Amino acid sequence: MRRFSLWLRGKPFVADSLLACALFLMDAIVFVGSATDVQWPLFVLVAVAVSAPVAWRRRHPRTVSGAVLIVSILSVLTGHAVGDTTSLHPSLLALPIMLYTLVAYVGRRDGAIYLVAVAIDGVVSLVFLDQDPFTSILFTVLMYALAWLAAEFLGARRAYDEAVEARLAVAEYDRDRRAEDAVAMERTRIARELHDVIAHGVSVMVVQADGASYAIRKDPERAEQAVANISATGRAALAELRRTVALLRTNPHADDMPMYGTAGLAKVVDMMSRAGLNVELEQTGNLDDISPAISLGVHRLVQESLTNVLRHGGHAPKASVSVVRRDEDVLVEILNSGVGAQPIAVEGTGNGLLGMRERVAVLQGTLEAGRISDGRWRVRAELPLE
């Protein structure tokens, strides 16, 4: 059952379809067990019209709730017109189900409006059907109160789960970014050591070769020793060179970089929005056919800047992102628009801005990062297309 429940959680339409079938089956059981003379065509029509739309309740909650409510009112009026005022439709449990759906997936305002409309439907049922007013009102109030409370509880739980998931995604990106920074620093150190190894080794070999050329006739032993030193130094430098080059071979080629483009930027903005950052994204021009290196550079600039805004932007951080493809370059501008927010003291390594500058420098672009006249923080980069 747990495995089946987890499977249904990932397929909401299948779960809602099963719920609609269950509502119709309840009506069928009541119809079969009814001892009164029921207008069966009307009964079946109402059962289908009420239960079938429930299958689409999470895809189109407003439309389905309105359809169920209209069918409920029409069933009462039609039953009164044909003289059938005693038919009970358990499928009308779809009304509190749709109240739950509106509150949980749309909002309290739509749920409140729907609740008023349901109250009107209840008044119509009391007027035209043979029902005990006290029992009917008490049952209705309890049923809809339970639906509202369940929606509040489960909606809050779902929002909490989404927020935790978004925060984990941001934390995972931050962890990956720190790992990338560590790798970049290590590669810089390896490159520095490679230069030292080659410069030192070649210098020693040149000096020893010059000495051997002078001593080869007058002092063969010294010349032989110098040649031995050249051989040993060359072997050591060659071994160090091979080790360092083997490490540097993990650097990906520019042609192997993935194309991020508009979909990648939208995914980053969505992830940050779910994490609590209010982001406005504006993309102008065709950003999907630029070179992989430029596309990756734009993606990383936006990702790094929004992460910094989220970490240092205060209680309610806001940011606006503008990516514009021009004739000769791509303009990327990220603006922290949360003016007046109290910054949160978050420890940082300072490698984020340094990494952005290095990435833009590799792409032969320009980067401006700092506060502007109104106190907001702006990151502005121009990356040439060629």
Side-chain angles (χ1 to χ4, degrees):
M1 289 301 297
R2 176 175 174 79
R3 186 176 301 175
F4 179 69
S5 175
L6 293 175
W7 180 80
L8 279 183
R9 188 177 301 177
K11 301 183 183 304
F13 182 74
V14 176
D16 293 338
S17 299
L18 293 177
L19 178 61
C21 293
L23 292 174
F24 180 79
L25 183 62
M26 292 168 61
D27 262 9
I29 293 174
V30 170
F31 175 75
V32 172
S34 178
T36 59
D37 187 14
V38 179
Q39 300 287 337
W40 69 266
L42 177 62
F43 193 94
V44 173
L45 179 62
V46 171
V48 172
V50 171
S51 58
V54 175
W56 288 269
R57 69 183 185 94
R58 276 184 274 193
R59 293 186 177 182
H60 309 285
R62 293 188 179 93
T63 303
V64 173
S65 59
V68 171
L69 182 62
I70 291 174
V71 171
S72 175
I73 296 176
L74 290 179
S75 67
V76 173
L77 297 178
T78 306
H80 177 74
V82 300
D84 184 6
T85 60
T86 60
S87 296
L88 176 63
H89 288 279
S91 61
L92 289 178
L93 287 173
L95 290 171
I97 290 175
M98 291 314 303
L99 175 64
Y100 161 82
T101 303
L102 285 175
V103 176
Y105 293 95
V106 180
R108 296 186 181 93
R109 179 175 176 273
D110 293 81
I113 295 174
Y114 184 73
L115 193 59
V116 172
V118 167
I120 296 174
D121 176 50
V123 172
V124 173
S125 300
L126 289 176
V127 171
F128 290 99
L129 297 181
D130 298 334
Q131 296 180 344
D132 181 14
F134 177 77
T135 303
S136 177
I137 292 175
L138 180 61
F139 177 75
T140 301
V141 169
L142 292 176
M143 184 171 54
Y144 286 102
L146 180 61
W148 189 291
L149 291 176
E152 289 285 352
F153 174 77
L154 295 179
R157 179 62 181 270
R158 187 179 65 255
Y160 173 77
D161 291 340
E162 291 177 353
V164 170
E165 183 179 357
R167 289 287 181 179
L168 289 176
V170 173
E172 183 179 357
Y173 159 69
D174 191 58
R175 182 199 63 192
D176 294 341
R177 182 184 61 81
R178 291 177 183 272
E180 291 176 0
D181 292 341
V183 171
M185 294 176 63
E186 181 65 14
R187 285 178 174 167
T188 302
R189 186 185 68 84
I190 292 174
R192 183 172 61 250
E193 292 181 357
L194 176 62
H195 173 269
D196 294 342
V197 167
I198 294 177
H200 173 73
V202 172
S203 298
V204 171
M205 292 168 66
V206 168
V207 171
Q208 293 289 328
D210 289 341
S213 64
Y214 287 111
I216 192 170
R217 295 183 183 273
K218 299 180 179 180
D219 194 350
E221 293 184 359
R222 292 187 61 183
E224 184 179 355
Q225 184 179 2
V227 172
N229 290 337
I230 291 174
S231 177
T233 303
R235 286 190 177 93
L238 184 60
E240 190 71 14
L241 177 63
R242 286 173 176 171
R243 182 186 67 83
T244 307
V245 170
L247 293 177
L248 294 178
R249 279 176 179 171
T250 59
N251 189 25
H253 193 271
D255 295 336
D256 297 330
M257 295 180 183
M259 291 284 286
Y260 286 90
T262 55
L265 292 178
K267 184 177 180 180
V268 170
V269 169
D270 179 68
M271 181 182 71
M272 295 297 176
S273 298
R274 289 187 289 112
L277 178 61
N278 188 357
V279 188
E280 295 180 2
L281 174 63
E282 179 182 0
Q283 302 184 75
T284 305
N286 190 357
L287 301 174
D288 292 325
D289 65 342
I290 60 179
S291 66
I294 301 297
S295 181
L296 178 59
V298 172
H299 185 92
R300 292 304 188 195
L301 285 173
V302 173
Q303 197 173 39
E304 178 66 32
S305 300
L306 292 182
T307 301
N308 289 336
V309 174
L310 183 65
R311 294 176 63 195
H312 304 285
H315 176 65
K318 298 180 181 179
S320 61
V321 179
S322 175
V323 182
V324 181
R325 176 174 180 170
R326 300 187 294 197
D327 294 335
E328 297 180 357
D329 60 6
V330 177
L331 173 64
V332 183
E333 188 174 82
I334 302 96
L335 188 64
N336 181 2
S337 55
V339 179
Q342 296 297 326
I344 301 176
V346 180
E347 183 180 359
T349 62
N351 291 324
L353 185 58
L354 178 60
M356 287 193 291
R357 292 190 184 279
E358 292 177 349
R359 186 180 296 276
V360 171
V362 169
L363 298 176
Q364 299 180 2
T366 59
L367 177 69
E368 298 176 6
R371 295 195 180 276
I372 55 180
S373 57
D374 58 1
R376 295 181 293 178
W377 185 274
R378 182 185 68 178
V379 175
R380 176 187 173 92
E382 296 178 0
L383 306 177
L385 293 175
E386 298 296 330

